[in-house]
Amino acid sequence: MKKLLVIALMAFVINAYADDKKKKVAEVTYKVEMDCQSCVNKITKNIAFEKGVKDLKVDMEGQTVTVKYRDDKTNKEELVKAFEKLDFKAEELKEDEVVKPKEKCCEGHHHH
Ligand SMILES: [Cu+2]
């Protein structure tokens, strides 16, 4: 009888975990050409309201847009289409191509 309870409890935990996984938030960074603040505003105002988008970060200096999205509600291709609707070409950046702000600076790392 005790064993059954343990199994039931385990099934519950596994189920809760699977459910949690379904609601996973994914993150993608796109290279987007933006040349002024109005481009940034346009992207911020529109992409933020796209289906499944949780959060976004626009970096005009780095010409990147990082989008956090629910991957059960949307996907990378849908997000690219959302950019296209606004007349922006979004190109996915792989993780190692993303230049983090602190990595742009080479102070303290002088290799000769
Ligand atoms: Cu502009």
Side-chain angles (χ1 to χ4, degrees), residues 20-30 47-57 65-80 82-83 92-95:
D20 208 51
K21 245 190 140 180
K22 261 188 266 165
K23 288 178 190 154
K24 205 184 85 187
V25 175
E27 193 181 291
V28 62
T29 297
Y30 295 107
I47 301 298
F49 297 105
E50 277 298 315
K51 195 178 115 197
V53 172
K54 299 279 285 176
D55 194 16
L56 89 159
K57 206 182 92 208
V65 179
T66 303
V67 185
K68 282 197 177 120
Y69 63 97
R70 286 267 308 267
D71 65 3
D72 57 333
K73 298 240 166 148
T74 188
N75 56 54
K76 290 172 180 175
E77 288 72 33
E78 287 299 317
L79 292 169
V80 168
F83 277 103
E92 190 191 340
L93 283 182
K94 300 281 168 253
E95 206 143 335

Side-chain angles (χ1 to χ4, degrees), residues 87-104:
D87 281 325
F88 287 102
K89 196 175 166 286
E91 205 180 309
E92 190 191 340
L93 283 182
K94 300 281 168 253
E95 206 143 335
D96 56 350
E97 291 172 326
V98 180
V99 181
K100 299 261 163 37
K102 59 182 174 191
E103 288 163 10
K104 276 183 198 164

Side-chain angles (χ1 to χ4, degrees), residues 35-39:
D35 40 38
C36 68
Q37 193 58 42
S38 76
C39 291

Side-chain angles (χ1 to χ4, degrees), residues 5-17:
L5 188 72
V6 170
I7 290 166
L9 195 71
M10 271 175 63
F12 178 77
V13 169
I14 289 164
N15 236 314
Y17 176 75

